[in-house]
Amino acid sequence: QKEVEQNSGPLSVPEGAIASLNCTYSDRVSQSFFWYRQYSGKSPELIMSIYSNGDKEDGRFTAQLNKASQYVSLLIRDSQPSDSATYLCAVNRRTSYDKVIFGPGTSLSVIP
Amino acid sequence: GAGVSQSPSNKVTEKGKDVELRCDPISGHTALYWYRQRLGQGLEFLIYFQGNSAPDKSGLPSDRFSAERTGESVSTLTIQRTQQEDSAVYLCASSRLVEETQYFGPGTRLLVL
């Protein structure tokens, strides 16, 4: 089992719809969770971090964390063509020593 | 303050040559990561530093790859006897603490002919 898993996509949604991106992780004691966005040819940039169970909202973005299910998701409301990118989930693994592990990413395409 | 910087931004080299890539992290960041990203692929972890020590070198693809960090600041990634399969973007990231947000540099685009 990979430490951080994501659907590779591509995920296509129409403009204005809700895009739902999912991530599962294997380390039960992980404490820190991150969503990064990477545009083609650019470096990843942080969208949101979440540390507690529940929802965290920032503008059109909502991160959801369920530690019992080892699941973290990112919802993008009112999706825009400019949201088209690869979304990377990252989790702080705490076994042996701290290390942030990135998932393979989900490619999102928002269709005008 | 300034973000993470990397140099050179682009590097073209011939197969068999050695290359050295540099990363200047954000001042005060104790953790520094190196990743490789091939065209159309995900991030491939190479190595990370906590201070000047490297707790995890498991991602280095072969003994041709090495990295060091000095003064809890600048880091260099060295690739010896480059091969065509080394062609990729090499990304550096730093964070204040290991469990916190990573900030990425612009990357070095390496092309081995």
Side-chain angles (χ1 to χ4, degrees):
Chain A
Q1 181 188 7
K2 292 184 179 178
E3 294 185 85
V4 180
E5 298 197 63
Q6 298 180 250
N7 292 331
S8 61
L11 174 66
S12 292
V13 299
E15 183 174 357
I18 296 175
S20 178
L21 304 162
N22 304 317
C23 174
T24 58
Y25 59 94
S26 61
D27 181 9
R28 290 188 169 275
V29 296
S30 294
Q31 297 288 327
S32 309
F33 306 86
F34 308 90
W35 282 101
Y36 289 80
R37 177 176 62 199
Q38 186 176 25
Y39 291 115
S40 181
K42 301 294 185 181
S43 298
E45 56 181 351
L46 181 75
I47 299 175
M48 292 185 70
S49 57
I50 186 167
Y51 304 95
S52 304
N53 276 331
D55 295 359
K56 180 180 178 182
E57 187 174 318
D58 183 0
R60 297 186 295 111
F61 298 93
T62 299
Q64 300 175 317
L65 176 60
N66 184 324
K67 291 185 180 180
S69 299
Q70 295 173 239
Y71 175 93
V72 58
S73 66
L74 180 71
L75 300 179
I76 307 174
R77 291 183 300 282
D78 186 25
S79 296
Q80 301 297 308
S82 59
D83 295 326
S84 297
T86 296
Y87 290 79
L88 302 166
C89 172
V91 176
N92 181 39
R93 186 198 70 187
R94 305 213 69 190
T95 51
S96 302
Y97 50 85
D98 279 308
K99 178 182 173 182
V100 175
I101 308 292
F102 279 84
T106 297
S107 175
L108 172 67
S109 179
V110 181
I111 312 300
Chain B
V4 179
S5 61
Q6 293 185 246
S7 61
S9 54
N10 291 282
K11 177 71 176 179
V12 180
T13 190
E14 294 179 349
K15 178 181 173 181
K17 300 282 190 181
D18 297 352
V19 296
E20 192 172 277
L21 312 180
R22 177 186 170 105
C23 173
D24 283 277
I26 293 172
S27 178
H29 280 196
T30 63
L32 186 149
Y33 292 78
W34 283 100
Y35 299 93
R36 179 169 71 179
Q37 190 169 38
R38 293 193 168 107
L39 188 63
Q41 303 297 310
L43 291 178
E44 179 184 359
F45 167 79
L46 296 179
I47 187 172
Y48 95 93
F49 291 90
Q50 176 64 37
N52 291 334
S53 63
D56 190 344
K57 303 179 182 180
S58 64
L60 294 177
S62 73
D63 59 8
R64 296 187 296 105
F65 288 72
S66 63
E68 65 175 15
R69 187 181 186 194
T70 56
E72 296 195 1
S73 181
V74 65
S75 176
T76 55
L77 176 69
T78 301
I79 308 174
Q80 296 179 311
R81 305 181 302 281
T82 52
Q83 303 294 311
Q84 289 182 331
E85 63 262 29
D86 299 335
S87 297
V89 175
Y90 289 82
L91 290 163
C92 174
S94 72
S95 61
R96 194 174 66 94
L97 297 173
V98 171
E99 64 268 28
E100 296 187 356
T101 300
Q102 292 185 27
Y103 296 88
F104 284 80
T108 293
R109 286 155 181 77
L110 175 66
L111 177 62
V112 182
L113 300 177

